[in-house]
Every structure is written in C-alpha cells, then in structure tokens.
Amino acid sequence: MKTTFLKLNKQPESNGYLDKHQFKDEFFFNLDVCFDSDTYLVSLTKSIPPELMFNENYAYYSSLSSTMRKSFANIAKSLKNIYKPKLSLEIGSNDGVFMKNFNTNEIVSVEPCGNFADFTNSLGYKTYKNFWDYSLSTHIKNKQGTFDLIYSANCFSHIQTLDDAFRAIKNILSADGVFVMEDPSIQQVLDKNTYDLFYYAHAHVFSITSIQNIILKHGLEIFNVDSINVHGGSNRIYIKHITNNTHTIDASVSKHIDDELLCGIGVLQTYLDFEKRVRKSKKDLVLLLETLKAKGENIICYGATAKSSTVFNYCDISTDLIDCIVDMTPDKQNKYSPGMHIPIVSIDIGLTDDVKYIFLGAWNFKDEIMKKEPEFIKRGGKFITHVPIVHIINE
Ligand code: TYD
C-alpha cells in the first residue's frame, strides 16, 4: 500500500532552465512523495512524461565536475579489471564520462537526451537515442547479443516504469553477466535531511532493500553493495541472475539490508518523522536568509541544481533573498532558475566582492567548491547549507 508522507508544494520541472519569454509557459505540479509498504520503495506520487525532462535540452554535463570525472574513471577501471567484460552496455551515458574509459568497440550505450547521444555517437561510441525499456533491450540484443557488464549511474532513479526496466536487464544480461547500478540512497536522505533529492526527474529514491524486493520477481538478485560518496551518498549495487553461481553473495548485502531495516526503512513512521524535520529545515533556512538580508548582506547560490530548485520552490525563496545563482555550465548561464526565476550567471559575474554569503545549491560538491574559492573565504565569505541542518559552514 502506498502512503503519501511528504508534500513539497507546487514544483516546476527542476532542470527546466528558462529564458524570460518561457516564464508564461512554465508548468507546475504538486510534488508529493509516497512510501510503498509492500516493496519499501519511496517514489513520487505522480510523475511527468519523461520526454518533458530528458530531451535535447538536458543541461547537466557529468564531465564538468572533476569529482565526477575521477569517480567514473575509477569505477570503469575497477569493473574492467574485476569482470573482464567482452562487451559492455551503459544505460544513461550522459556526455560519455564513463564510456570514454573504454575503447569504442568495447561498449555501447543508451541515452535519450539527443544532445548527448549525438555527441557520443560523433566520438565513435554507438549510442542508442532511446529510453531504456524492454522493447529496446530486445532490439539491441538482436543486433549485439547479450552483455557481460551493464552499468547505469543516476539513471534508474529516473525511470518511472521500474518493472519493465529490470525485465529489460534480465533480457539482455549474459548468463554470468553483472549489472551495476548506482543511485542516491534513501537512508542517506533520511540521515541528512536532504529532501531536495526529490524532484520530478527522480521518480524514486532507492533503499537496497527496495531494489532487492523488486528484482527478485524478475529472477535477479543483489550480490554486492558499495556505499559511495556521490550525490550526497549513493549505493552502488551489483546485480546478477539468481541462477548464476559465479559470483558469491557478499556479506555487504545482508549488512546493508540489516542496517536499513534497523533504521526503520520499512516503517511508515520513519518517513513521517522525516517530514517534520523537512518542515523545520524550511523554517530555519528562511529565517537565516531573512535575518542576513535584513542586515544588508548579499547572498548568492552556488550551483544551479535540481536540488536547489526543490529547496527554493518549497521554501518560496526568490530574488528577494538570493541575488543570483552562479554555475559553470554554459547551457545554464544567462537563464533563469525554474519556478523562482532567479538569474543564473557565470561564477566570474555573480561572485562579486560584495557577496558575503553563498548558499550551497550543489552541497554534494562542497569540498570541490570550497577549494575553488579561497579568495572568497579569505575575505570573510561564508557558506550556508541546509545539510544536515541549516547552518553556516565556516563560521
Ligand atoms: P548536480 O550536483 O548534479 O545537481 P542536481 O543533480 O541536483 O542538478 O549539479 C551540480 C551543478 O553545480 C552543475 O550545474 C555544475 C555546478 N557546479 C559548478 O558550477 N561549479 C563547481 O565547482 C561544481 C562542482 C559544480
């Protein structure tokens, strides 16, 4: 049974960066989050059509962050060494940040965003410009056979039709093959009060337990789990056919599942308690920003993220409190943030000498960002975050 436990107000498409003339056509939906007591899956109550989010205008380039480049290079190297795949498949290849660690004849990918699919195809990597589903898996299987390694990072949490997506994995994974998926962890969301991980592109935020519950019925099971420090805390989950005995089931699987159950991942009350903390986070953030603003301080946001879109629209924070958002992504610059229409500019333009406070819209890159801005820190600049509670970091 599904129960809604969190209502994050009306929210726009969180990656929909706008020109002024597009304000009038912007659409909003109530962003509600529910818990399924059968599978323990946490999902949005309603979704919007994927074509509205994942298209040729998708503006998030994984390669822009050195943290992400390093993380993808390391995992590619490690997976190649351990599993020695003849042919690999990546689902959701973005701008090729993972795939580029393979030769062009060793990997193919699936990517519905036209800008990225065209780009990686132009580099010589066969990229299917499609959404991942069962019929596509059959099409690819007919052309290329089955795959020894399938990798998908920050993609399955976007997929609304999960059963079909896992059936497609079952269809195309070789008998000894390994499917590795990594996505933000709901346990981390609960621990860090990162309610901003909920936005329209994230149809679900997974626990390991919920994935296990869902994939067992498709003849798949988890055999290993790594906790990783990406997107504020994610799980890298290794999956195989139940019938495959080549990979033994690592102790990490029961350890993670036991930990999750102990934290109340399967109990509605856990989520109701979280909802109270989210409401407090909103109150505290608005109060802090209003107090600083009343003292005449200039506050900007660092990182035009989907996460900050959730925060600003939920907390009703607009240009009265945040002067602008700075972001290094060229496709986001000189646009306006979804819903609250805060101007987005390059860091050089937005981070002027009179800025005293930076709200970390990309709090998951806190260390990388703070390292990049020693001058701001030297002149007394302060960083604000709401993770895990609202506070000034370097006070
Ligand atoms: P991301 O963390 O993927 O957020 P979301 O998934 O919530 O959209 O996006 C990080 C954003 O922050 C991206 O637009 C790039 C930007 N960014 C900078 O502008 N400078 C930086 O140093 C870093 C690390 C990120």
Side-chain angles (χ1 to χ4, degrees), residues 273-336:
D273 293 344
F274 168 70
E275 190 269 345
K276 283 191 201 126
R277 298 197 297 277
V278 173
R279 270 189 288 141
K280 176 163 168 37
S281 178
K282 170 179 178 167
K283 225 169 102 194
D284 291 350
L285 182 61
V286 172
L287 181 66
L288 175 62
L289 297 181
E290 282 179 349
T291 307
L292 295 173
K293 210 66 200 172
K295 287 186 194 158
E297 306 290 11
N298 291 328
I299 314 167
I300 66 165
C301 169
Y302 208 116
T305 56
K307 292 185 283 291
S308 62
S309 171
T310 295
V311 172
F312 294 156
N313 284 284
Y314 173 59
C315 300
D316 203 12
I317 292 170
S318 183
T319 43
D320 51 338
L321 295 175
I322 298 280
D323 302 339
C324 68
I325 303 175
V326 296
D327 197 289
M328 64 179 169
T329 315
D331 287 4
K332 296 181 183 177
Q333 291 166 2
N334 306 316
K335 303 230 169 188
Y336 292 84

Side-chain angles (χ1 to χ4, degrees), residues 102-126:
F102 290 71
N103 294 323
T104 50
N105 60 350
E106 294 172 338
I107 190 162
V108 300
S109 78
V110 175
E111 172 54 66
C113 301
N115 49 341
F116 294 135
D118 292 345
F119 175 67
T120 47
N121 268 317
S122 77
L123 298 179
Y125 290 97
K126 170 70 192 157

Side-chain angles (χ1 to χ4, degrees), residues 73-88:
N74 287 342
I75 184 62
K77 197 169 152 202
S78 152
L79 292 175
K80 281 201 282 189
N81 281 343
I82 301 172
Y83 299 114
K84 310 208 172 356
K86 282 202 266 324
L87 188 60
S88 302

